[in-house]
């Protein structure tokens, strides 16, 4: 049997060690559907055509800052693809990541309801509940990928990647799924 991470998980965390994921920062997030099933629509002539579940996912993402106004969230570029979702999201300075306590807390000890994982958990949950009314088989992959954006150039490259993702679909590693 494989070693367990923190006596709980079979694989180690993909999160950056000692980084507080509630910190004021820009995050690039990728979330895939279970077995990369095409639940959100299709690419036609280099444009993503959202189906009902895709539109639902888009609406839920757009509502994210309204649902969590105390986190001072700002949505950046995002795209919903047939079987995955890319987004830039900024967690702004807020009461949970400023002051003395926030300086000493790391994600393992900090609030688990005011960080990137809680945002993604809430988004995935809401989409799942409503998408299963349309397709009872809808499911996400259990994890998500994140990248902490560290500078303007990196942010700009990621924005370009997101904007160009539908046009590059046939070259995407997730295309064949």
């Amino acid at each position: 049997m494989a070693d367990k991470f923190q006596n709980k998980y079979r694989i180690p965390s993909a999160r950056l060690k000692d980084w507080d994921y509630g910190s004021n920062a820009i995050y690039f997030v990728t979330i895939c559907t279970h077995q990369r099933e095409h639940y959100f629509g299709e690419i036609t002539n280099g444009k993503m055509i959202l189906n009902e579940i895709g539109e639902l996912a888009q609406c839920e993402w757009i509502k994210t800052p309204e649902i969590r106004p105390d986190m001072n969230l700002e949505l950046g570029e995002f795209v919903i693809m047939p079987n995955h979702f890319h987004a830039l999201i900024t967690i702004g300075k807020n009461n949970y990541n400023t002051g003395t306590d926030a300086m000493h807390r790391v994600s393992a000890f900090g609030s688990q309801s005011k960080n990137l994982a809680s945002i993604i958990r809430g988004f995935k949950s809401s989409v799942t509940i409503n998408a299963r009314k349309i397709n009872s088989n809808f499911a996400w992959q259990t994890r998500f990928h994140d990248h902490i954006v560290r500078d303007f150039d990196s942010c700009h490259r990621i924005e370009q990647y997101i904007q160009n993702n539908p046009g590059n679909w046939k070259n995407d590693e997730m295309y064949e799924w």
Side-chain angles (χ1 to χ4, degrees), residues 37-39 51-53 127-139:
E37 288 287 327
H38 291 211
Y39 286 116
N51 62 19
E52 192 174 1
I53 295 175
V127 171
T128 300
I129 288 166
N130 293 300
R132 285 189 178 160
K133 295 173 185 173
I134 301 163
N135 181 336
S136 61
N137 294 321
F138 179 84

Side-chain angles (χ1 to χ4, degrees), residues 9-169:
Y9 306 103
R10 288 181 290 163
I11 56 176
S13 174
R15 308 285 84 86
L16 181 63
K17 188 178 179 190
D18 295 329
W19 177 264
D20 177 358
Y21 280 85
S23 294
N24 174 212
I26 302 171
Y27 301 91
F28 174 45
V29 176
T30 300
I31 312 169
C32 297
T33 59
H34 182 65
Q35 296 184 342
R36 299 196 177 151
E37 288 287 327
H38 291 211
Y39 286 116
F40 300 127
E42 62 184 43
I43 303 287
T44 303
N45 296 324
K47 293 197 179 249
M48 179 63 192
I49 309 301
L50 298 175
N51 62 19
E52 192 174 1
I53 295 175
E55 289 177 3
L56 170 72
Q58 179 173 286
C59 287
E60 290 300 326
W61 185 250
I62 290 169
K63 289 192 314 191
T64 299
E66 293 173 36
I67 293 168
R68 299 170 181 274
D70 54 345
M71 291 183 71
N72 194 21
L73 301 176
E74 185 179 321
L75 302 182
E77 290 289 332
F78 71 92
V79 66
I80 298 167
M81 298 293 286
N83 60 4
H84 65 283
F85 168 80
H86 292 299
L88 283 167
I89 186 167
T90 302
I91 298 177
K93 289 184 181 178
N94 61 61
N95 290 336
Y96 305 99
N97 64 20
T98 57
T100 309
D101 291 340
M103 297 293 284
H104 296 98
R105 118 180 129 90
V106 294
S107 60
F109 304 108
S111 170
Q112 294 302 300
S113 64
K114 301 298 178 183
N115 61 22
L116 183 63
S118 71
I119 294 165
I120 302 306
R121 230 183 355 260
F123 169 70
K124 287 170 73 172
S125 175
S126 183
V127 171
T128 300
I129 288 166
N130 293 300
R132 285 189 178 160
K133 295 173 185 173
I134 301 163
N135 181 336
S136 61
N137 294 321
F138 179 84
W140 294 102
Q141 232 178 18
T142 56
R143 299 176 78 182
F144 67 94
H145 175 77
D146 70 80
H147 171 77
I148 303 156
V149 180
R150 307 225 184 216
D151 58 49
F152 176 80
D153 289 338
S154 176
C155 188
H156 182 70
R157 279 191 304 278
I158 294 167
E159 287 172 334
Q160 294 297 305
Y161 174 80
I162 291 170
Q163 290 167 3
N164 295 328
N165 208 236
N168 293 329
W169 177 238

